[in-house]
Amino acid sequence: MKNSKLKSIKFLSLFCILHFAFCICAVAQETQPAPGKPRSAQIPAVQERKLPNGLTVAVVERRSVPLVTVQLLVRSGASNEGMEKAGLANLTAALLTKGTKTRTATQIAEEMEFLGGSINTSAGWNSSSVVVTALSSRIDPAMAIMADVVLNPTFKQEELDLLKSQTLDGLTYNLKQPGFLATYVASRYSFGEHPSGGTPASLKAISREDITAFHSSGYVTDSAVLIFAGDITAAQAEALAQKYFGGWNNKSGIKQDTEGPRAMKNGSAPVRRILVVDLPKSGQAAVNYTKNLQGASRTNNTLYYPASVLNSVLGGGYSSRLNQEIRIKRGLSYGAGSSFAWRFDKSNFGTRTQTKNESAAEVAELVMAEIKKLTEGAIADTELIPRKSVLTGNFGRNLETTAGLAAQLAELYNFGLPATVLNAYMNDVQTVTDKQIRDFASANLMGGDIIIVGDYSVFKADLAKRFPNMQIEVVKADDLDLSKDNLRKSN
């Protein structure tokens, strides 16, 4: 009996000690530790050469790991296609690895796998890319494959038919998803562009002749940059570039932004328009705020860095204001964020979140309140410094890999920016003030569009109540047609 009591006392004592320790830890964790001092990210000098055919070759030596990434950037992307051929740049890029004059799609994949490397193609709004990564000892045969897919694609009809079918299947599914549909509609409604992934009508209309013509006019030496990053010297890189791309003499002028952006006026009113895409019986509602920012281009550093820090504060991660307000405090969504999509002469700004249909109007009101708050109140250092650290930390991590370093250089070359911008990034972010953010928000973020995709019957009354002076435009999801000015299939 005495031993049993002694064991009970020991157990209770241990429990109390552990409980006390847990409470101390919990209290300690209430105050987050201050972020450490930002680390510098020094990028080796970019060595640039030009081949006789006009191809620019850029090299950054990083000899610590025996890897090399080679990225070919061509300044031709979705901006070079119209609404009637939307998706053309994406299809062209995807088909490059689906067969050449000397290799089938299977052979391309097997040869890269044998080399222990990778090859990827992609197309964005401003450009298209082919990226190869391999051990430095095997970069020569890897580049042979890269040059083959760039210079000798066959664009077989059966491969195009299969890719179109797969893309249409994916698009058909996505057009029933509120989050995708909101972004899809914003491309036309708010940004005056077209969805770069294509529409059902445009994808069906794209022919093999369209693909070959796009490749011939867009994949050209006078708009291309071949970037080497990793365990390679400038002399070795130039020799490989000459060996595999020296005979590439396709030159042609490129016309950017074939549609041209719609002029959007900045205004003091928080919201310019409200569009509802009615998707009956949808499980959730997507709530986006979108704004076309004319003049806020990637090349304008006086705007780019304040915009980047603003985005980190507003919607750039778990601790951002939108996520804190909508998810953490109120539990109305699994996440909320914001982003800028940069163009040559403007930027597309947007926030995004999904919620219950019942809370769609409330979330729209919360988003507008957070944007308005940026135009009025100061941002304390306790918030601003950590949000800057998120940017500089992500930037530094991206530069740790050869692929990340090549991608950063490709972005600069795409916009015609000097490579020295990389070494200035840390300082340019750290010197942004809360006044610069407030000024940017006041001048650019107000007067955009609220786009809600969901079951309108559920939130109709609440939306009208929360935005009483706004006319609400409603389009049925099944009647949506982005090729029409009024977004409707029917007149």
Side-chain angles (χ1 to χ4, degrees), residues 145-158:
I145 300 171
M146 179 187 198
D148 196 24
V149 304
V150 172
L151 304 181
N152 305 309
T154 51
F155 301 125
K156 292 182 178 179
Q157 186 65 51
E158 56 266 32

Side-chain angles (χ1 to χ4, degrees), residues 261-336:
R262 294 178 179 179
M264 299 292 178
K265 295 180 180 179
N266 290 329
S268 57
V271 182
R272 189 169 74 101
R273 299 179 297 181
I274 297 179
L275 172 69
V276 173
V277 179
D278 188 14
L279 191 63
K281 298 181 180 180
S282 61
Q284 288 188 323
V287 181
N288 289 17
Y289 175 77
T290 49
K291 179 72 188 301
N292 181 329
L293 278 56
Q294 290 295 323
S297 71
R298 175 64 180 85
T299 58
N300 189 337
N301 286 341
T302 59
L303 295 179
Y304 174 74
Y305 291 103
S308 297
V309 180
L310 177 154
N311 189 67
S312 184
V313 171
L314 179 65
Y318 188 82
S319 298
S320 65
R321 289 184 176 184
L322 286 176
N323 200 64
Q324 288 276 349
E325 188 65 30
I326 296 171
R327 174 182 174 167
I328 298 173
K329 290 183 182 179
R330 301 173 187 265
L332 295 175
S333 175
Y334 285 113

Side-chain angles (χ1 to χ4, degrees), residues 3 10 27 76 109 122 125 142 180 199 210 235 245 250 260 288 292 373 391 399-400 411 413 465 470 477:
N3 289 339
K10 288 182 178 179
V27 172
S76 181
S122 63
W125 185 261
F180 176 89
T199 68
D210 294 324
F245 290 98
N250 189 18
N288 289 17
N292 181 329
K373 192 185 297 183
L391 288 178
L399 297 181
E400 288 299 315
E411 180 184 359
Y413 274 103
K465 179 181 177 181
M470 293 294 303

Side-chain angles (χ1 to χ4, degrees), residues 298 301 305 395 412 417-426 428:
R298 175 64 180 85
N301 286 341
Y305 291 103
F395 177 77
L412 298 183
L417 294 168
T420 53
V421 169
L422 286 181
N423 281 322
Y425 181 88
M426 295 286 193
D428 288 340

